[in-house]
Amino acid sequence: MTEFKVEGDYIPMIQLLKAAGLVQTGGEAQIVVEHGEVVYNGTVDYRKRLKVKPGDIVEFRGQKIKAI
């Protein structure tokens, strides 16, 4: 599991995917979220602007990221 330091109170889901290097562009991030490829705290989530906060876990294509 990879840890990602959240600056501030939260980071939008699409920005997290891009910042963590799991996707190349914000557009690609939007597409994978819309297609249900992202799991947020154990549940598939389709919200692109979801606020990921410290303690949350995001899973994408076999990779897990824990927001800290």
Side-chain angles (χ1 to χ4, degrees):
M1 181 178 304
T2 303
E3 292 186 343
F4 184 87
K5 175 79 169 125
V6 176
E7 301 294 331
D9 294 333
Y10 67 90
I11 183 170
M13 176 68 79
I14 57 176
Q15 287 183 11
L16 172 67
L17 294 174
K18 187 175 174 189
L22 299 178
V23 295
Q24 298 297 315
T25 66
E28 182 182 355
Q30 288 184 21
I31 290 168
V32 299
V33 170
E34 287 173 354
H35 289 161
E37 295 182 46
V38 179
V39 176
Y40 172 72
N41 291 334
T43 305
V44 173
D45 202 296
Y46 300 92
R47 296 175 288 172
K48 297 173 280 192
R49 306 222 185 283
L50 173 70
K51 296 176 180 178
V52 179
K53 299 175 183 171
D56 291 339
I57 296 175
V58 174
E59 299 176 51
F60 176 66
R61 294 184 180 164
Q63 304 227 3
K64 287 187 181 184
I65 301 170
K66 181 175 184 177
I68 58 170

